[in-house]
Amino acid sequence: MTTDTLGLREQKKLETRQLISDQATRLFIERGFEETTIADIAHAARVAKKTVTNYFARKEDLALDHHEQFVASLANVVASRAPGQSALAALREAFLEAARQQNPVAGFAGLPFTRMIEQSPTLVARLRDLHEQREQALAAVLRAETNAVDDDITPDAVGAQLGAAHRVLFQQIQRLTLEGLPGDEVAERVTASALRVFDLLHPSLGDYAIRPRP
């Protein structure tokens, strides 16, 4: 099998996955997450039910399609911070940029999608779980970056504080979106909130996990 053939096959898989995700999102918004079945999604995407479950192990993953990126987001920011930059400074900079771009991973999902999540107890619970996973992933990177010993609770405590800060900001974005505010105004308000939140954390965490300069 040629490299071109492999490339076409992978492209086809990506296209099928995106088609399923798009159809699922449309149905979830139109009918509600709880009311939409895997069979409904398969029919809309013109694929077998097994194809849907092969691409998405959980129904919730069809709605929260970027869950892996979300869970890894804070850890990735800290792992790639610049020399001389602390974990807090890197996360502050990254969040302000995400707000400027109105990045969906930061919570800028638009009114229909945000309302769909808010009306589904299953998705609310899943999102809570993803926030916890993101916090744990961040703590793991902080532990590695600071060479903390196994019984040092500091990385876990710092990860919890930084994770909670992002969770509060995420929830504010959702709340303002549900109030019907346009994206630009949501971004402006949450930016002001983020500056306040990160300033509150700076006295205790401003010098934590500063990446050494070469």
Side-chain angles (χ1 to χ4, degrees), residues 54-140:
N54 282 342
Y55 281 97
F56 298 92
R58 304 173 57 157
K59 182 181 172 185
E60 297 95 307
D61 294 342
L62 283 156
L64 304 172
D65 190 16
H66 300 291
H67 64 279
E68 293 178 350
Q69 182 182 354
F70 178 85
V71 168
S73 57
L74 304 186
N76 287 343
V77 168
V78 171
S80 61
R81 70 197 184 285
Q85 191 175 42
S86 69
L88 177 65
L91 289 168
R92 172 190 173 114
E93 181 181 287
F95 184 86
L96 294 178
E97 179 61 19
R100 188 188 69 79
Q101 295 181 356
Q102 298 180 33
N103 191 325
V105 176
F108 292 89
L111 179 56
F113 192 88
T114 302
R115 183 185 291 126
M116 178 265 291
I117 293 177
E118 189 263 343
Q119 292 175 344
S120 168
T122 301
L123 290 180
V124 169
R126 176 58 172 160
L127 189 56
R128 188 181 305 119
D129 178 56
L130 292 175
H131 277 290
E132 184 175 342
Q133 290 183 40
R134 183 168 71 160
E135 176 187 311
Q136 293 169 349
L138 173 60

Side-chain angles (χ1 to χ4, degrees), residues 19-20 23 40-48 51:
L19 172 64
I20 294 170
Q23 292 298 325
D40 293 332
I41 296 166
H43 178 74
R46 298 183 178 181
V47 298
T51 301

Side-chain angles (χ1 to χ4, degrees), residues 36 38 46 68 90 99 116 128 150 176 181 201:
T36 303
I38 296 297
R46 298 183 178 181
E68 293 178 350
M116 178 265 291
R128 188 181 305 119
D150 291 343
L176 294 175
L181 273 63
L201 292 172

